[in-house]
């Protein structure tokens, strides 16, 4: 669903395609009713896909969409709200499902907003009376009956960890030791693996059982964890997999970890062209990879030839290691930064 390509990088697609086997694709919708949106937030809540915010590629000014859309099948969409009450822009808010509610939290400059909804339609503001809160410029995740936020302090490479037991009152955790990243904190991500809260960036992995006491993890074989920036991650067969991305160029590396701490480079699959911006999803007991952009000869490609980076192939794997090219020229066309649900 959606995405763009280097033929028209400033225009996002608004189509939907489906497949019963991952190989044969049928177009279900050519022009979705919410138009050519990019930068929107998508979340699954109460058996529906919700799309909130974003901005249109056709707008002459960078004006945020205020609409909220939902779909039970990814094809038929209902505009739940034309003008949502949020003041923060799409690029500055995060979303999470917590305590059977959908939460939206964001910051613009010095203004922070917190909203919750039991149905995705009626929203309640919790912003009044806030005395202490994170900037919400990083991932928000549910863990140990709390919401947690990794927040860039803006003053150094030190990260701030915030938590909330109700989504409204936030507390800055006093860390036993500071968390410091070698790379930009905006390249980091948060995940929960086997009841452990993990923070990853391209060089480091940190783990915590309580969100307060953190341990910098090192791979016994590789030294520091070394997983590519902008890699696509997926949990499959009790393993966390990191595929592709880029360090200094586009990568076709495949890494896996059973605990998020000890990573092993499983292989560099020459069959899968180096890429980023692709999607990986589990379907019919296999991993499926589609689209993205990249080239084995990236350094030789000029700006005028960027369209050569587009990919519209589909690959599958039953073990995460060995990949089979199912189709080299899928009917849905070249695209990257799209969404794929199963």
């Amino acid at each position: 669903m959606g995405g763009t390509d280097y033929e028209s990088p400033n225009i996002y697609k608004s189509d939907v395609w489906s497949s019963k086997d991952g190989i044969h694709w049928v177009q279900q919708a050519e022009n979705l009713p919410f138009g050519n949106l990019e930068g929107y937030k998508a979340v699954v809540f109460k058996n529906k896909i919700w799309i909130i915010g974003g901005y249109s590629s056709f707008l002459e000014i960078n004006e945020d969409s205020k609409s909220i859309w939902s779909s039970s099948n990814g094809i038929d969409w209902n505009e739940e709200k034309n003008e949502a009450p949020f003041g923060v822009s799409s690029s500055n808010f995060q979303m999470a499902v917590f305590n059977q509610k959908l939460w939206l939290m964001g910051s613009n400059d010095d203004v922070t907003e917190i909203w919750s909804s039991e149905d995705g339609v009626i929203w309640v503001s919790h912003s009044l009376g806030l005395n202490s809160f994170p900037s919400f410029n990083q991932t928000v995740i549910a863990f140990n009956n709390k919401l947690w936020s990794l927040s860039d302090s803006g003053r150094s490479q030190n990260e701030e960890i915030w938590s909330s037991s109700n989504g409204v009152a936030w507390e800055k955790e006093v860390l036993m030791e500071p968390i410091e990243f070698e790379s930009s904190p905006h390249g980091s991500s948060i995940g929960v693996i086997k009841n452990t809260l993990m923070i990853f960036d391209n060089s480091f992995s940190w783990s915590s059982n309580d969100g307060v006491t953190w341990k910098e993890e090192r791979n016994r074989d590789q030294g520091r964890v070394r997983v590519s920036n902008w890699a696509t991650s997926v949990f499959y067969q009790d393993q966390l997999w990191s595929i592709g991305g880029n360090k200094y160029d586009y990568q076709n590396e495949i890494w896996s970890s059973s605990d998020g701490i000890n990573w092993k480079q499983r292989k560099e699959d020459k069959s899968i062209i180096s890429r980023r911006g692709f999607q990986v999803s589990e379907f019919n007991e296999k991993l499926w990879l589609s689209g993205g952009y990249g080239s084995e000869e990236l350094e030789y490609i000029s700006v005028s030839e960027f369209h050569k980076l587009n990919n519209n192939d589909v690959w599958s794997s039953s073990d995460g290691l060995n990949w089979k090219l199912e189709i080299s020229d899928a009917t849905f066309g070249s695209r990257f930064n799209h969404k794929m649900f199963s």
Side-chain angles (χ1 to χ4, degrees):
M1 182 176 75
T4 187
D5 58 46
Y6 270 120
E7 295 285 355
S8 51
N10 294 321
I11 299 177
Y12 267 61
K13 303 174 187 292
S14 62
D15 52 355
V16 173
W17 297 74
S18 71
S19 174
K20 295 180 179 179
D21 58 9
I23 301 173
H24 303 91
W25 291 82
V26 177
Q27 187 173 24
Q28 300 289 351
E30 182 177 2
N31 294 297
L32 293 175
F34 46 77
N36 302 71
L37 287 178
E38 60 178 299
Y40 57 81
K41 296 296 190 296
V43 63
V44 176
F45 175 63
K46 293 194 173 179
N47 298 319
K48 290 184 179 181
I49 303 171
W50 296 80
I51 286 181
I52 300 178
Y55 52 93
S56 172
S57 307
F58 294 120
L59 293 177
E60 295 182 359
I61 58 175
N62 187 12
E63 180 181 341
D64 275 350
S65 166
K66 296 290 187 180
S67 59
I68 298 177
W69 295 80
S70 74
S71 173
S72 59
N73 58 15
I75 301 170
D76 304 303
W77 290 84
N78 181 46
E79 186 175 27
E80 303 287 1
K81 259 190 184 311
N82 177 261
E83 281 287 330
F86 323 128
V88 291
S89 63
S90 303
S91 59
N92 292 323
F93 69 70
Q94 306 294 330
M95 299 193 66
V97 177
F98 178 64
N99 282 351
Q100 299 182 344
K101 293 182 181 181
L102 189 58
W103 292 81
L104 183 147
M105 307 154 218
S107 304
N108 277 348
D109 298 324
D110 295 328
V111 178
T112 291
E113 297 183 15
I114 299 176
W115 298 79
S116 71
S117 174
E118 295 182 354
D119 58 7
V121 180
I122 300 174
W123 290 83
V124 177
S125 173
H126 306 282
S127 304
L128 293 178
L130 290 179
N131 296 317
S132 184
F133 42 81
S135 60
F136 294 124
N137 56 6
Q138 293 292 110
T139 304
V140 175
I141 191 169
F143 172 69
N144 272 2
N145 299 316
K146 288 184 177 183
L147 281 177
W148 296 80
S149 173
L150 169 66
S151 177
D152 177 15
S153 65
R155 295 180 292 276
S156 68
Q157 290 293 83
N158 289 348
E159 295 300 296
E160 296 178 353
I161 305 292
W162 293 70
S163 71
S164 173
S165 59
N166 59 10
V168 179
W170 287 82
E171 179 182 358
K172 181 180 176 181
E173 299 289 353
V174 179
L175 305 182
M176 301 301 293
E177 293 183 8
I179 298 177
E180 298 182 18
F181 289 141
E182 203 172 61
S183 63
S184 166
H186 295 286
S188 60
S189 59
I190 307 178
V192 178
I193 302 176
K194 296 183 178 179
N195 298 319
T196 301
L197 189 59
M198 305 290 302
I199 298 177
F200 308 94
D201 77 344
N202 71 315
S203 299
F204 290 88
S205 175
W206 296 78
S207 68
S208 175
N209 294 320
D210 58 9
V212 178
T213 303
W214 290 84
K215 178 184 177 183
E216 180 189 342
E217 305 293 354
R218 295 178 184 271
N219 186 299
R220 288 189 294 269
D221 299 322
Q222 303 289 337
R224 288 178 176 173
V225 176
R226 193 68 189 177
V227 180
S228 301
N229 275 336
W230 306 109
T232 296
S233 298
V234 61
F235 196 76
Y236 177 65
Q237 292 185 348
D238 296 324
Q239 297 269 336
L240 181 63
W241 297 82
S242 177
I243 304 170
N246 69 288
K247 297 176 188 173
Y248 309 107
D249 54 9
Y250 298 109
Q251 302 291 311
N252 49 16
E253 297 177 356
I254 298 175
W255 294 70
S256 72
S257 172
S258 60
D259 56 10
I261 299 171
N262 297 294
W263 287 84
K264 182 179 180 181
Q265 185 175 357
R266 305 301 295 265
K267 66 190 304 184
E268 187 172 353
D269 195 326
K270 297 297 184 181
S271 62
I272 303 178
I273 188 172
S274 304
R275 66 184 73 196
R276 60 176 282 190
F278 58 92
Q279 286 290 306
V280 176
S281 181
E282 182 180 355
F283 175 66
N284 279 355
E285 299 182 351
K286 290 184 179 180
L287 286 180
W288 295 82
L289 181 153
S290 71
Y293 65 94
S295 169
E296 299 290 352
E297 300 177 349
L298 177 66
E299 57 184 310
Y300 305 111
I301 292 181
S302 64
V303 174
S304 63
E305 297 179 307
F306 267 12
H307 63 278
K308 295 181 179 179
L309 298 174
N310 294 329
N311 295 298
N312 65 327
D313 48 359
V314 177
W315 297 75
S316 73
S317 174
S318 59
D319 59 7
L321 296 177
N322 301 292
W323 290 82
K324 176 185 177 183
L325 178 62
E326 299 287 359
I327 183 169
S328 61
D329 189 18
T331 52
F332 52 70
S334 302
R335 66 187 64 208
F336 59 88
N337 292 344
H338 50 295
K339 305 290 185 184
M340 188 161 68
F341 300 92
S342 63

